[in-house]
Every structure is written in structure tokens, then in C-alpha cells.
Amino acid sequence: MVEFLRVTEIFHSIQGESTWAGLPCTFVRLTGCPLRCTWCDTTYAFHGGERMTLDAIVARVREIGTPLVELTGGEPLVHRGAFDLAARLLDLGYTVLVETSGAVDVAPLDPRAHKIMDLKCPGSGEGERNLWSNLDHVGPGDEVKFVIADRADYEWAREVVRSRGLDERVRDGRLSTILFSPVWDQLDFQELAAWILEDRLPVRYQIQLHKVIWGANVPGV
Ligand code: SF4
């Protein structure tokens, strides 16, 4: 059991992504990420942070009081203690979401947690980092996300959805959903919508709701 984690921020906000979007949520943002996506909107979480005990983190989550908690980063799963924290919060009855880059092994994560797992498109500059074996460890409660910067990213994501059978997995309930999200300020929202509709892709289009409410790149919202 790891007793400490490095934490950038713990805050109360509206969940802005995934099928959980719109719900009040407590975010635990852990510090550090081994990736450097070109369009990353949380670079402030790469360094710094405060060393906190798991007890102190859980106490802060309890104080905020939402039933929904997300572990995010950075990349939360580079911390061994993140797996312990997820299990502790689940034991306490919280619904736990884990936002992860897709580059770190998710297999050891408590299966009660809901993974929101990126597959990095080429435009992120980190496409080589996708750990494809992670697709064996996402299930009915989990979501796979593509953040799309341009038409090349879209075509890559469409190919992955089809060739890896993600569309079939959603259809028969082995995967909760596939998220397609435009890079904010980079890809025209209507253009992505048109491509999805034209191809009849069984994906869920999402726009980062927290940015609609508070603006882009605002820490702690
Ligand atoms: S994985 Fe996430 S936190 Fe890390 S660089 Fe990419 S977008 Fe930023």
C-alpha cells in the first residue's frame, strides 16, 4: 500500500466529458505525465503538486461530498498509489472514474472503476505510445476516447474503431461507448459532426462541457 500521492489539485466541478458529463463531480488531479500531447490542456499538472497522504485525499473528497469522483492528471496511473486510492474510494461507495492516456497498463485497476481511456491519434504526437493490450481490459463500464485534431486523425480513429471491433463491442454491450472529441480551438466542431454523420459511425460526439461553461485552459474547474 502506497500512502502518499503527489496532487496538483482537488476540486469540485461539473464533469465535462464522457457519458458522465453534466454531473457534479470531485476531481483528484495527480501530478506528472510521461506523455507530451501537442494539444495538452493540463500542462500545469506536469510538475509541482503537493505530497498528500491517501487519508488526507479521502478526507478532502468526503468534505466536498459528491458521489462521483474522477482520478485524473497528468496521467494518474503512473502512480502506484492511484490504484490504492481508487479501491479505497470504491470501498467507501463512491463511483470512481479514471481518466487515463491509454499508454499505461490499466489491468491492475479495480474493475469497479470506470476507465475513460484515450487512444492517442497521430496528431497528438504520441500515437506510438498507445498500449494496445489495454483494449483487453476495458469492459461494459468503460469508455474509449479519441481526441481528434484534423481529418487525418479522424480517419485514423475511424479505422481503429472498425478494425479493432470497438463498434461491435459497443453494439453488444462489451464496451460502454466510444467518444470522439474535437481538439478545442483546432478542429471545427461542425466539421467533425458532419464526418461522423456521413460515415454513420456508432460513436458519441462530445465537446468539453467545462470549457463551454468556464472557457479553455482554466485550472480547477
Ligand atoms: S496524456 Fe493527458 S496529461 Fe499527458 S500530455 Fe497527453 S493530454 Fe496532457
Side-chain angles (χ1 to χ4, degrees):
M1 170 75 79
V2 178
E3 293 295 340
F4 292 91
L5 281 169
R6 189 155 284 279
V7 178
T8 294
E9 56 187 353
I10 300 176
F11 60 98
H12 181 209
S13 187
I14 299 292
Q15 175 59 255
E17 302 196 53
S18 78
T19 59
W20 304 85
L23 291 174
C25 182
T26 300
F27 292 82
V28 178
R29 189 183 304 286
L30 302 181
T31 308
C33 181
L35 278 66
R36 291 293 180 269
C37 301
T38 52
W39 38 253
C40 180
D41 57 4
T42 49
T43 54
Y44 64 92
F46 288 167
H47 306 290
E50 178 191 351
R51 198 165 176 261
M52 290 179 74
T53 64
L54 262 57
D55 285 345
I57 296 169
V58 170
R60 179 69 186 124
V61 168
R62 278 193 143 129
E63 196 177 76
I64 293 174
T66 62
L68 184 65
V69 180
E70 176 171 296
L71 307 188
T72 187
E75 167 51 77
L77 299 184
V78 291
H79 303 267
R80 279 186 300 135
F83 296 89
D84 299 328
L85 178 60
R88 272 185 67 170
L89 292 168
L90 288 158
D91 288 345
L92 289 167
Y94 292 97
T95 298
V96 176
L97 314 180
V98 178
E99 174 91 25
T100 178
S101 65
V104 177
D105 185 12
V106 300
L109 191 60
D110 191 308
R112 295 172 295 171
H114 299 277
K115 300 179 247 328
I116 317 294
M117 195 184 82
D118 277 16
L119 283 176
K120 295 297 181 192
C121 298
S124 69
E126 294 287 15
E128 298 301 315
R129 305 291 289 270
N130 289 314
L131 188 60
W132 294 103
S133 58
N134 274 338
L135 288 178
D136 298 334
H137 305 290
V138 289
D142 302 324
E143 310 184 11
V144 172
K145 180 172 75 168
F146 297 85
V147 180
I148 295 171
D150 54 23
R151 178 72 193 184
D153 274 3
Y154 172 77
E155 290 179 6
W156 182 88
R158 182 185 61 190
E159 173 60 19
V160 170
V161 165
R162 290 174 173 163
S163 65
R164 304 249 172 197
L166 300 181
D167 46 0
E168 286 167 22
R169 287 169 69 170
V170 169
R171 270 189 217 110
D172 64 23
R174 285 177 291 143
L175 179 66
S176 168
T177 200
I178 303 161
L179 302 160
F180 271 30
S181 183
V183 176
W184 194 268
D185 281 341
Q186 202 164 318
L187 177 59
D188 183 87
F189 293 169
Q190 292 185 12
E191 209 166 4
L192 178 57
W195 295 339
I196 291 169
L197 294 172
E198 188 183 350
D199 287 331
R200 310 288 194 271
L201 272 193
V203 301
R204 183 184 292 257
Y205 182 92
Q206 72 162 22
I207 290 175
Q208 293 167 298
L209 179 60
H210 52 292
K211 292 185 181 176
V212 176
I213 301 172
W214 288 289
N217 305 332
V218 181
V221 295

